[in-house]
Amino acid sequence: MRHIRFLRETDRDDILEIAKHTWEGHDYLPYSFESWLKDKNSHTAAIEQDGHVIALANLRVIEDGKTGWMEGLRVHPDHRGMGLAKALTNHVVQNAAELRLERIRYTTATDNLESLRLGESVGMSRRFNLGVYWHEKPDEILWRYSTEDIASIEADELIPSLLESELLPLGIIVLDWKAMDAAPDALKKLGQTARFWVTRRNDVLNAFSLGFSRMAAGGPQWIFTIYAMDDALFLNHLSHHVAMASENECNTLFGAFHEHYTRVLKGLDWVSSEYDGDWALTLLERVL
Ligand SMILES: CC(C)(COP(=O)(O)OP(=O)(O)OC[C@H]1O[C@@H](n2cnc3c(N)ncnc32)[C@H](O)[C@@H]1OP(=O)(O)O)[C@@H](O)C(=O)NCCC(=O)NCCS
């Protein structure tokens, strides 16, 4: 059986080496690794061979100890297909059970068959998909669509109407590949990094979106998620986030939305011809 240990500051070079080979160098690992080491709620796991880390993962306890968030599962390309990811996934699930967490969750790209298979092999089930889209140089997108008012809103004001609305699948908010129940405390915490916007018609909340700028491999990236009741509301909020990306001088735009809006997105003339509407993320969960 493989020995699994915690990550250390001295593993930095090995982690950067793995990240370099993941998603063409667009891995978020170099930006999260330091915070995992400092975070008492992060339970890192690493496999070492010949003095180098070759595989890693993190279990982050969130939502007041309720959820174990699985993230950062990576195996160096030279060591894939040998069961290392399986060993780490089993370890993380066992760790979550020992910590008496209520559930474990993670998101992955819907076409990441290995990752889905790994999750399902430890009893996790697919809960829902969201469409995703990313675009470089958002400042070059001149398209705007503004037919309805979009208001900025604080977490406190948002809570009752968002929870009553049927905008969120299973009452879960996703932002930047992470997910949490839309509970008052979680929204307040999220509001420390992200901003929230809504559109109301006749006092009913019909669209909600959130976004923030963060550092990524290619420079600052604008990240957003849109929950909207119809095409027009989706386009209004999309246009708003394109503008926010420009305003915040972001080099890329990355967003998630209900899967059926891929059809609307594909019809926009600035959207990449490589986008076939199949890009999506999946949330997986196991109740422990
Ligand atoms: C996904 C990843 C972690 C898998 O690591 P790995 O060590 O090669 O995986 P394992 O050898 O433990 O195999 C895990 C499972 O995936 C299956 N698998 C391997 N390659 C596969 C493929 N191309 N298609 C479908 N399943 C595949 C294996 O059969 C195994 O399932 P099994 O035990 O039921 O047979 C690795 O490819 C990686 O680091 N990818 C880049 C980052 C990433 O995608 N991380 C996960 C999502 S956040």
Side-chain angles (χ1 to χ4, degrees), residues 34 71 104 139 177 179 194 196 228 246 267 283:
E34 306 277 349
E71 61 190 357
I104 42 174
D139 55 328
W177 297 93
F196 305 135
S246 270
L283 176 88

Side-chain angles (χ1 to χ4, degrees), residues 3-285:
H3 173 65
I4 297 178
R5 63 155 172 87
F6 294 121
L7 281 171
R8 307 175 190 127
E9 181 61 47
T10 48
D11 298 326
R12 189 178 173 78
D13 288 348
D14 293 339
I15 287 168
L16 293 181
E17 176 65 20
I18 295 175
K20 209 165 75 187
H21 293 286
T22 309
W23 302 314
E24 293 156 9
H26 291 282
D27 197 353
Y28 63 82
L29 220 60
Y31 302 93
S32 21
F33 162 62
E34 306 277 349
S35 61
W36 294 349
L37 292 182
K38 288 184 212 134
D39 174 22
K40 63 178 180 6
N41 292 315
S42 280
H43 302 260
T44 57
I47 296 177
E48 191 180 309
Q49 185 172 302
D50 301 328
H52 292 285
V53 168
I54 53 168
L56 70 140
N58 188 36
L59 172 74
R60 197 154 42 86
V61 180
I62 58 170
E63 299 178 301
D64 289 329
K66 201 169 174 183
T67 307
W69 185 254
M70 295 168 62
E71 61 190 357
L73 178 65
R74 306 282 184 271
V75 174
H76 189 286
D78 294 348
H79 302 274
R80 288 186 187 160
M82 292 154 66
L84 298 188
K86 190 73 181 272
L88 283 171
T89 305
N90 280 326
H91 172 86
V92 164
V93 173
Q94 201 184 327
N95 208 343
E98 282 163 10
L99 290 164
R100 301 189 177 279
L101 307 182
E102 286 179 28
R103 63 194 175 203
I104 42 174
R105 284 178 175 169
Y106 75 101
T107 54
T108 191
T110 309
D111 63 359
N112 193 336
L113 301 181
E114 292 136 288
S115 174
L116 293 169
R117 186 156 165 183
L118 273 165
E120 286 170 344
S121 76
V122 293
M124 302 188 74
S125 316
R126 302 178 200 203
R127 291 292 188 242
F128 58 77
N129 290 356
L130 289 179
V132 295
Y133 182 70
W134 58 92
H135 196 99
E136 288 182 355
K137 302 189 183 149
D139 55 328
E140 291 179 1
I141 305 170
L142 301 177
W143 169 85
R144 292 290 183 270
Y145 189 96
S146 177
T147 57
E148 303 200 38
D149 288 340
I150 293 182
S152 173
I153 190 168
E154 298 297 320
D156 288 348
E157 302 166 78
L158 178 65
I159 287 160
S161 48
L162 181 63
L163 301 185
E164 281 158 21
S165 81
E166 290 179 359
L167 287 167
L168 305 175
L170 306 177
I172 296 172
I173 293 186
V174 172
L175 183 66
D176 194 17
W177 297 93
K178 299 183 179 65
M180 70 203 71
D181 284 356
D185 284 354
L187 277 164
K188 273 186 208 148
K189 203 164 169 208
L190 188 58
Q192 291 166 6
T193 32
R195 291 182 59 196
F196 305 135
W197 292 273
V198 293
T199 300
R200 295 181 198 276
R201 288 179 187 151
N202 301 324
D203 271 349
V204 177
L205 189 72
N206 280 309
F208 162 61
S209 67
L210 63 168
F212 75 115
S213 144
R214 75 154 162 79
M215 227 11 163
Q221 186 170 38
W222 183 257
I223 315 272
F224 67 92
T225 304
I226 298 173
Y227 299 97
M229 293 298 270
D230 60 37
D231 292 3
L233 288 161
F234 169 71
L235 288 170
N236 272 280
H237 280 253
L238 178 64
S239 169
H240 172 72
H241 287 282
V242 170
M244 289 303 295
S246 270
E247 219 174 274
N248 286 276
E249 297 176 353
C250 291
N251 297 345
T252 47
L253 178 73
F254 173 76
F257 37 84
H258 293 135
E259 239 181 341
H260 54 265
Y261 293 124
T262 53
R263 169 186 49 80
V264 181
L265 197 59
K266 268 197 305 187
L268 298 172
D269 60 7
W270 56 269
V271 167
S272 159
S273 55
E274 284 168 30
Y275 178 63
D276 57 9
D278 286 346
W279 302 348
L281 65 77
T282 301
L283 176 88
L284 289 99
E285 179 182 66

